[in-house]
Amino acid sequence: KKVRDNGSTEGYNVKLGKYITDKVMLQYTQGINQNVSRFFVRYEFDDRLSVFAGTRENNDKVVGFEGRFRF
């Protein structure tokens, strides 16, 4: 682990993802040198807009929208 100036630690993760349909992706992240285990589900409406839900490091739940723009 690498300790940052603010006291938090930085580590390495392995992230695996798989599209189970054309628009739904399951993603799992496991920490190698830290206690991190995350799970996400993402639904893509189109190439620019998606919604996701999952867990964070301390098992907090998170839900959000993601927009992608090109310019």
Side-chain angles (χ1 to χ4, degrees):
K1 294 180 186 177
K2 180 180 176 184
V3 178
R4 297 180 189 161
D5 292 337
N6 64 2
S8 65
T9 59
E10 183 178 301
Y12 297 97
N13 299 322
V14 174
K15 186 184 290 187
L16 302 171
K18 172 81 174 146
Y19 278 96
I20 58 172
T21 70
D22 290 344
K23 297 186 178 229
V24 178
M25 177 182 224
L26 297 178
Q27 188 175 46
Y28 178 73
T29 304
Q30 178 64 51
I32 294 177
N33 60 346
Q34 56 187 350
N35 188 17
V36 174
S37 180
R38 299 180 205 145
F39 180 75
F40 275 93
V41 176
R42 178 180 309 274
Y43 179 82
E44 296 182 356
F45 295 104
D46 56 27
D47 290 341
R48 297 175 299 187
L49 183 63
S50 62
V51 63
F52 62 89
T55 59
R56 290 190 175 178
E57 292 88 4
N58 53 2
N59 290 330
D60 288 341
K61 308 295 186 270
V62 62
V63 176
F65 287 94
E66 180 178 330
R68 294 176 290 276
F69 302 97
R70 295 180 191 180
F71 53 95

